[in-house]
Amino acid sequence: MSTGSTSDIQMVIITGMSGAGKTVAIQSFEDLGYFCVDNLPPSLLPKFLELMKDSGNKMNKVALGMDLRGREFFESLFEALDDMAEKAWITPQILFLDAKDATLVSRYKETRRSHPLSQEGLPLEGIQLERKMLEELKGRAQLIYDTSDLKPRDLREKILQQFATQGKQIFTVNVVSFGFKYGLPIDADLVFDVRFLPNPHYIDHMRPKTGLNEEVSSYVLKWNDTQKFLTKVVDLLTFMLPHYKREGKSQLIVAIGCTGGQHRSVTLAEYLGQYFENSYKTRISHRDIDKRKEK
């Protein structure tokens, strides 16, 4: 039931408004031991990903600085991000650095630099144009830092606090079986109702057993509807789990419910937990497996 590589590469894409602190951010990631590349063209990201994967554990923490480079920049970057979303072995995050217009204007005046998008040398015009162009990218960012009131050392400290322990956090998938007759699990993130599947409860010699019994699990799994359901749920979770992990969740609770929580839900919770155990830290529990209210 292997679903892919268990390696996990942390990638941070540092982008945002020009003058908002990208250089300081890259230096901060270097201090954290990240392999840093500045101004990497997004079109080279697929090749760079291949190099990262082939390097084994030598490049397991990477920070990429990316500046605005016109429309082709966005098309290439979004395509690369969509591609990475399909890969279980990499966890990309976008760190978007922002600041108020007045702050950015002041910074440009202090450094006597011209804004890259300012055609007539007026910083505010370039800043406003850049902000409009970056709206969609900002919307896809997992982290947004407003550096308006931050000194360089404050930004450095903020990054160190955020990312120093991030790699140590382990994303856990908790698969829980339950019986609807005892109520929904109040802490569940996703709930799947499997009461439409054939019920071993109505087979006398299976009734006292549970989904942990091979005879019961084989009965539940043999039906076409069960196999179709599992195919669709596995496909859905394969898509969703990397996104939950990327958003910073420490765990996801997936609840599988049948009527009493002893047969069908137990069988499918065991199946799903075992399916994803090679890609994520997985726990399987059965809330109502010992509850029996025979009438």
Side-chain angles (χ1 to χ4, degrees):
M1 293 183 183
S2 175
T3 59
S5 171
T6 58
S7 61
D8 190 6
I9 296 176
Q10 306 293 322
M11 172 186 280
V12 182
I13 297 174
I14 307 165
T15 187
M17 297 294 294
S18 302
K22 183 168 69 70
T23 299
V24 174
I26 291 176
Q27 292 171 349
S28 301
F29 280 100
E30 287 178 342
D31 292 342
L32 285 169
Y34 278 70
F35 182 88
C36 297
V37 180
D38 198 6
N39 293 330
L40 179 74
S43 59
L44 296 182
L45 257 179
K47 185 64 177 178
F48 188 75
L49 289 174
E50 292 180 17
L51 294 173
M52 291 169 60
K53 190 173 184 180
D54 292 341
S55 73
N57 292 325
K58 296 180 181 179
M59 294 173 62
N60 60 352
K61 297 196 299 182
V62 179
L64 304 178
M66 292 188 173
D67 283 331
L68 177 62
R69 291 289 186 270
R71 186 61 207 172
E72 292 183 3
F73 169 94
F74 293 105
E75 293 175 353
S76 299
L77 179 56
F78 291 155
E79 182 178 343
L81 289 172
D82 290 340
D83 180 60
M84 283 188 284
E86 302 296 325
K87 303 181 186 301
W89 53 270
I90 187 167
T91 306
Q93 287 183 299
I94 297 177
L95 171 58
F96 190 97
L97 301 175
D98 201 355
K100 297 182 177 67
D101 288 355
T103 301
L104 294 174
V105 169
S106 176
R107 290 175 182 174
Y108 272 103
K109 286 184 177 180
E110 290 174 2
T111 60
R112 297 185 179 180
R113 294 170 50 219
S114 60
H115 193 280
L117 297 181
S118 180
Q119 297 179 353
E120 299 181 1
L122 298 175
L124 184 58
E125 291 182 0
I127 290 168
Q128 292 174 339
L129 177 59
E130 182 182 33
R131 192 177 298 282
K132 185 174 181 61
M133 295 179 68
L134 290 174
E135 285 179 347
E136 185 176 354
L137 180 57
K138 184 177 181 180
R140 294 189 64 159
Q142 285 78 32
L143 294 169
I144 301 173
Y145 289 174
D146 187 332
T147 67
S148 300
D149 300 318
L150 297 180
K151 295 179 180 179
R153 67 171 180 270
D154 297 327
L155 175 58
R156 184 186 299 272
E157 183 178 347
K158 187 177 181 71
I159 290 173
L160 295 178
Q161 290 178 347
Q162 174 74 38
F163 290 92
T165 59
Q166 190 173 89
K168 300 176 183 178
Q169 295 176 351
I170 300 176
F171 177 71
T172 304
V173 179
N174 290 285
V175 186
V176 182
S177 71
F178 73 96
F180 276 96
K181 69 195 301 183
Y182 306 114
L184 285 166
I186 61 174
D187 54 354
D189 296 297
L190 299 172
V191 177
F192 295 98
D193 183 349
V194 298
R195 288 177 291 184
F196 65 93
L197 297 176
N199 192 353
H201 174 81
Y202 295 109
I203 300 176
D204 290 342
H205 72 278
M206 290 189 189
R207 186 176 302 166
K209 301 176 182 179
T210 72
L212 298 178
N213 178 271
E214 184 177 355
E215 183 182 15
V216 173
S217 62
S218 296
Y219 175 84
V220 174
L221 292 173
K222 76 176 182 178
W223 305 101
N224 288 335
D225 283 346
T226 304
Q227 293 303 313
K228 289 179 181 178
F229 171 80
L230 286 172
T231 298
K232 293 180 184 295
V233 171
V234 164
D235 184 56
L236 178 64
L237 291 176
T238 299
F239 168 74
M240 296 179 71
L241 291 177
H243 292 280
Y244 280 114
K245 182 178 179 181
R246 197 171 301 128
E247 286 298 316
K249 287 182 71 71
S250 61
Q251 67 171 332
L252 186 76
I253 300 177
V254 181
I256 313 294
C258 63
T259 303
Q262 273 107 43
H263 301 110
R264 294 165 292 182
S265 61
V266 171
T267 297
L268 298 188
E270 287 287 326
Y271 181 96
L272 292 172
Q274 292 173 24
Y275 186 94
F276 287 103
E277 68 181 359
N278 289 329
S279 297
Y280 302 94
K281 181 178 180 181
T282 306
R283 294 194 186 103
I284 306 171
S285 59
H286 306 294
R287 192 192 70 176
D288 302 325
I289 195 170
D290 295 322
K291 295 178 181 177
R292 295 187 179 277
K293 294 184 177 180
E294 301 289 349
K295 293 184 179 180

